[in-house]
Amino acid sequence: MNDDDSAGRARHSALRLLARREHSQYELRRKLKARGYGEGLVDELLTELVTERLLSDTRYAEAMVTHRASRGYGPLRICMELRDRGVAERIVDKALQEAEVDWDERLRHTYERKYGEMAAESFKTWASRAQFLKNRGFSVDAIRRVIGDHGAPTPNARRATKE
């Protein structure tokens, strides 16, 4: 098999992968190399795809932020996942800053979907809930701001008593 055949097959594989969803350059490189394409061929192909705007880490980061936020994940978790997928820190930061996501509202929605309106009756329960939210990628400050500290009325409870 000649290099042209190999390049054509690599491009076809890359385009099939990109047709399904956005990929970071790192992800696409890893997948193409796993399919047996050589390092030089993959690097050349990725350069072409970026030049043709068929592959974009910025677009990938924006899509990932939107998707993961809609699934109840916070900015810290999304940031970690993007970095694990080889997206540059400046692109990650920009995508998170420009995302039209109210992170406190996202945290509140995630909390209420999981636990409903029931207040945590013990510190152990509160700590477990806070840990769940922390694992989802929300900061301790955001968690306290939205669900309150143990023993203090939750912001939701305060809102309900004002009505």
Side-chain angles (χ1 to χ4, degrees):
M1 157 178 28
N2 66 36
D3 288 342
D4 287 341
D5 288 346
S6 209
R9 287 187 311 106
R11 183 174 178 85
H12 183 72
S13 289
L15 292 176
R16 275 195 356 259
L17 290 166
L18 289 170
R20 290 186 194 125
R21 70 167 177 87
E22 293 285 348
H23 284 72
S24 69
Q25 289 184 53
Y26 173 82
E27 278 184 314
L28 194 55
R29 173 179 281 112
R30 188 175 43 81
K31 288 181 179 184
L32 291 171
K33 286 173 62 178
R35 286 176 166 81
Y37 299 110
E39 182 95 23
L41 175 63
V42 170
D43 288 342
E44 188 176 312
L45 175 59
L46 293 181
T47 301
E48 287 174 19
L49 293 172
V50 168
T51 301
E52 296 169 18
R53 296 188 176 165
L54 296 172
L55 178 64
S56 167
D57 279 358
T58 300
R59 202 170 51 232
Y60 172 75
E62 291 167 354
M64 179 100 164
V65 168
T66 301
H67 175 72
R68 297 301 279 166
S70 74
R71 298 278 186 224
Y73 290 92
L76 301 176
R77 172 84 177 258
I78 296 168
C79 177
M80 179 191 67
E81 290 176 354
L82 284 168
R83 287 181 183 156
D84 286 349
R85 288 172 174 88
V87 179
E89 191 168 337
R90 66 179 171 69
I91 294 173
V92 173
D93 291 343
K94 185 177 180 196
L96 287 169
Q97 287 171 1
E98 292 180 356
E100 294 182 6
V101 177
D102 180 340
W103 294 109
D104 283 355
E105 185 56 37
R106 179 61 34 210
L107 189 155
R108 184 176 292 108
H109 178 75
T110 300
Y111 180 83
E112 288 174 355
R113 191 176 68 220
K114 175 89 171 163
Y115 301 110
E117 294 284 329
M118 289 186 54
E121 297 191 11
S122 69
F123 176 76
K124 183 177 179 182
T125 302
W126 179 88
S128 172
R129 292 177 180 190
Q131 186 62 46
F132 166 76
L133 293 168
K134 189 175 176 206
N135 289 343
R136 294 289 277 204
F138 296 100
S139 71
V140 173
D141 289 341
I143 293 167
R144 286 189 169 138
R145 189 171 52 248
V146 173
I147 71 167
D149 286 319
H150 176 69
T154 65
N156 292 338
R158 278 188 237 131
R159 189 174 355 125
T161 58
K162 288 181 183 178
E163 294 176 342

